[in-house]
Amino acid sequence: MHALNGGAGKRMAGTAVAAAIGTALLLPAVPASAAPAAPTAQAAPAVAAKGGEYKYHYTYRVIRKTTPAEVSFKKMNKIMNGVFPIKGMPKTVKKNQKICLKMVKDCNPVRVTAVGTTYFTLKSLPGHLEGAGKIITFKLVKRNGYLVLDVSAHGPKAVWQRHPITDKSNRLFARGMWGAYAVNLAKAAEYNLV
């Protein structure tokens, strides 16, 4: 860490700490008695494409649910600020909205680039901690009787993400953060809010 310049080193150290916290938050979203033994989150192998592209794909089993994913998504998009794990999310996401997510920095700007019947996509803008151009899609799907949160991201690596340690820390943080999102969705589903 000492070889890094100023603020970048502090941000990376903060990311490493946040990754540990995020991993600790990754709790099973479904009680063990209600489901067969299976990992709560499944990660596709990280792929580094030409130009140092950043990619990840995680899936989280949320809760056993009989209603279609479209119904759950519509309900979720009425209480987004209550279930999304980062402050600053509006109550409802709409295409072309600019949102200031508040974490580590005062503002990590993103734009909603798409909203479908079961998903929404965010694109990081200049000034975001991870840099501009990251695309992340959150999708609700039904799989084997469960509501599942499917999260995929890709985009150019920020300079600090090119180091294997900070890259892995950032991925662990993302995995834990979106795991917390799945836990929030499971809690909301218990009250038929999702």
Side-chain angles (χ1 to χ4, degrees), residues 60-109:
Y60 304 85
R61 197 175 52 205
V62 176
I63 195 165
R64 188 170 288 281
K65 196 85 168 147
T66 56
T67 56
E70 293 83 0
V71 172
S72 294
F73 182 83
K74 189 173 183 179
K75 288 181 177 182
M76 177 187 71
N77 201 19
K78 292 180 180 176
I79 59 165
M80 191 68 74
N81 60 342
V83 292
F84 199 75
I86 304 173
K87 291 180 182 182
M89 191 61 107
K91 187 174 180 181
T92 302
V93 294
K94 298 174 186 166
K95 188 174 178 180
N96 294 321
Q97 256 178 328
K98 184 177 176 184
I99 301 169
C100 180
L101 297 176
K102 296 173 183 170
M103 212 175 111
V104 182
K105 286 179 60 175
D106 290 333
C107 180
N108 289 283

Side-chain angles (χ1 to χ4, degrees), residues 7-177:
K10 289 178 187 174
R11 284 192 298 273
M12 284 187 261
T15 301
V17 171
I21 293 167
T23 301
L25 289 174
L26 189 57
L27 303 173
V30 178
S33 60
T40 301
Q42 298 174 1
V47 178
K50 289 182 181 177
E53 186 173 32
Y54 179 75
K55 283 186 170 187
Y56 63 76
H57 182 210
Y58 302 121
T59 58
Y60 304 85
R61 197 175 52 205
V62 176
I63 195 165
R64 188 170 288 281
K65 196 85 168 147
T66 56
T67 56
E70 293 83 0
V71 172
S72 294
F73 182 83
K74 189 173 183 179
K75 288 181 177 182
M76 177 187 71
N77 201 19
K78 292 180 180 176
I79 59 165
M80 191 68 74
N81 60 342
V83 292
F84 199 75
I86 304 173
K87 291 180 182 182
M89 191 61 107
K91 187 174 180 181
T92 302
V93 294
K94 298 174 186 166
K95 188 174 178 180
N96 294 321
Q97 256 178 328
K98 184 177 176 184
I99 301 169
C100 180
L101 297 176
K102 296 173 183 170
M103 212 175 111
V104 182
K105 286 179 60 175
D106 290 333
C107 180
N108 289 283
V110 295
R111 182 169 307 282
V112 180
T113 59
V115 178
T117 58
T118 60
Y119 70 93
F120 69 99
T121 301
L122 302 176
K123 180 178 183 178
S124 63
L125 300 174
H128 193 284
L129 179 65
E130 290 193 350
K134 295 273 192 337
I135 308 291
I136 185 165
T137 299
F138 301 91
K139 185 174 185 178
L140 293 181
V141 296
K142 287 292 291 295
R143 207 172 281 152
N144 299 322
Y146 284 92
L147 181 65
V148 172
L149 174 65
D150 185 282
V151 183
S152 59
H154 66 92
K157 283 188 176 183
V159 172
W160 62 268
Q161 290 171 324
R162 292 182 187 153
H163 190 280
I165 293 173
T166 53
D167 182 51
K168 184 172 182 174
S169 295
N170 185 247
R171 289 174 196 281
L172 286 172
F173 178 80
R175 184 176 177 181
M177 180 63 64

